[in-house]
Amino acid sequence: MILRFIIVFAFLHSSLFGEGDERKNDILYTNLAGAALITGWGLVNWDYGKSAPHSSNEQWFGKDTKSGGADKAGHLYASYFVGTGLINLYENWGYDKEKAALYGSLSYFFLMNYMEAGDAFSDRLGFSYEDTIMNTLGAVSAYLFATYPDLSRRVDLRLEYVPSFTTADIVTEYEKMKYLIAIKAEGFESITNPYLRYGEFHLGYYTRHYDEGFSDASERILYVGIGFNFSRLARQSGYPTTGRFLNYYQLPYTYLPFEKDLNR
């Protein structure tokens, strides 16, 4: 299955790029390097190769699922975040914004679903159509945020993460993660008050006590919150790189949440 996936990608790659485009090999090698990294990580941390290919029904965000749906939010965010990084990389290589957005989002769509193909060979995972759908939504989000500046000025997709430093697998440490959409006042011209333009509205989701599977202690938290736009502050203080980073990472303990445990 994995070899077939790579062959299909190579065919699509040759179809997307013209014969005279010398940069196409850079994109090909970037994707192959990403696939190699996923393979190595999967062999070490996710038991790749220990099972015949199989699928699993992970039931989306249900309370008695493996991680309460945090993994689904994680797939969407990872596809969006790394897809955006590839878009920026390809733009730096000289592609215009539209082509960089297309190639970058397609690249990570390939990589995340290559990972999903690898999961099919793990005895504790399995291929998940739910993950595939969330990967697709994340890649589409990366494309839309790159090609519609008004959207990126008004909305961020963010991860809040405080690592435990007790595991090497930081990719799936959902017990320490929160996922959120931040709607930023600065993106709306109708909000003119200079102080209110630092305001944000948050809609987020996270789970706790699912590390051993569902139990009476497990929590699925949906929350809304009022936050402060630290990205805007960093940019206006002369730290544009920090400002860009804070479009994707939510500083912990810097907002006022109102939470509802969906398990109660």
Side-chain angles (χ1 to χ4, degrees):
M1 180 186 293
I2 292 179
L3 179 59
R4 195 180 309 158
F5 208 84
I6 293 176
I7 293 172
V8 170
F9 169 74
F11 172 76
L12 291 174
H13 175 271
S14 64
S15 301
L16 279 171
F17 298 92
E19 290 295 327
D21 193 341
E22 298 297 329
R23 298 163 297 186
K24 64 180 181 180
N25 286 334
D26 292 333
I27 293 181
L28 176 62
Y29 297 148
T30 297
N31 283 272
L32 292 178
L37 179 63
I38 289 169
T39 301
W41 190 271
L43 289 170
V44 173
N45 292 291
W46 297 331
D47 298 332
Y48 280 11
K50 293 188 177 181
S51 171
H54 65 286
S55 62
S56 61
N57 183 356
E58 298 187 354
Q59 300 178 16
W60 294 103
F61 291 82
K63 73 175 183 178
D64 55 352
T65 55
K66 180 176 61 177
S67 57
D71 58 320
K72 302 297 167 276
H75 274 267
L76 189 153
Y77 178 81
S79 295
Y80 162 72
F81 177 74
V82 183
T84 299
L86 290 173
I87 289 170
N88 292 333
L89 176 64
Y90 296 168
E91 195 170 4
N92 287 336
W93 285 349
Y95 288 102
D96 62 47
K97 172 65 78 174
E98 185 69 27
K99 285 186 176 180
L102 176 63
Y103 299 157
S105 55
L106 285 177
S107 287
Y108 207 64
F109 174 78
F110 157 73
L111 289 172
M112 286 300 286
N113 287 297
Y114 172 83
M115 181 189 301
E116 202 56 44
D119 287 354
F121 293 87
S122 168
D123 56 4
R124 65 187 180 93
L125 294 174
F127 177 86
S128 165
Y129 79 89
E130 297 99 331
D131 288 348
T132 302
I133 291 173
M134 298 306 278
N135 294 340
T136 303
L137 291 176
V140 170
S141 296
Y143 177 82
L144 292 176
F145 274 78
T147 53
Y148 292 92
D150 285 345
L151 178 63
S152 60
R153 279 195 295 267
R154 294 174 178 176
V155 180
D156 287 344
L157 302 183
R158 296 182 192 161
L159 167 70
E160 179 182 332
Y161 177 43
V162 182
S164 67
F165 302 106
T166 60
T167 177
D169 188 8
I170 60 173
V171 177
T172 60
E173 195 178 18
Y174 302 122
E175 290 291 310
K176 299 295 182 179
M177 296 178 178
K178 299 180 181 181
Y179 300 94
L180 65 140
I181 299 170
I183 301 174
K184 304 175 290 186
E186 69 170 342
F188 296 88
E189 295 179 358
S190 58
I191 301 176
T192 58
N193 184 289
Y195 300 107
L196 291 180
R197 289 180 67 81
Y198 283 95
E200 297 179 339
F201 175 80
H202 295 177
L203 175 64
Y205 182 78
Y206 66 95
T207 64
R208 294 293 182 265
H209 308 299
Y210 274 91
D211 45 346
E212 301 294 334
F214 174 70
S215 70
D216 290 341
S218 298
E219 299 175 327
R220 293 178 302 141
I221 306 298
L222 182 68
Y223 70 91
V224 296
I226 305 299
F228 182 86
N229 191 339
F230 284 95
S231 173
R232 176 180 171 86
L233 178 64
R235 284 182 275 110
Q236 293 193 339
S237 300
Y239 299 96
T241 301
T242 301
R244 284 193 296 271
F245 172 73
L246 293 174
N247 288 333
Y248 306 98
Y249 178 74
Q250 176 62 43
L251 291 173
Y253 316 117
T254 59
Y255 55 92
L256 178 64
F258 302 90
E259 301 181 338
K260 168 65 176 177
D261 183 356
L262 301 179
N263 287 355
R264 302 290 182 266

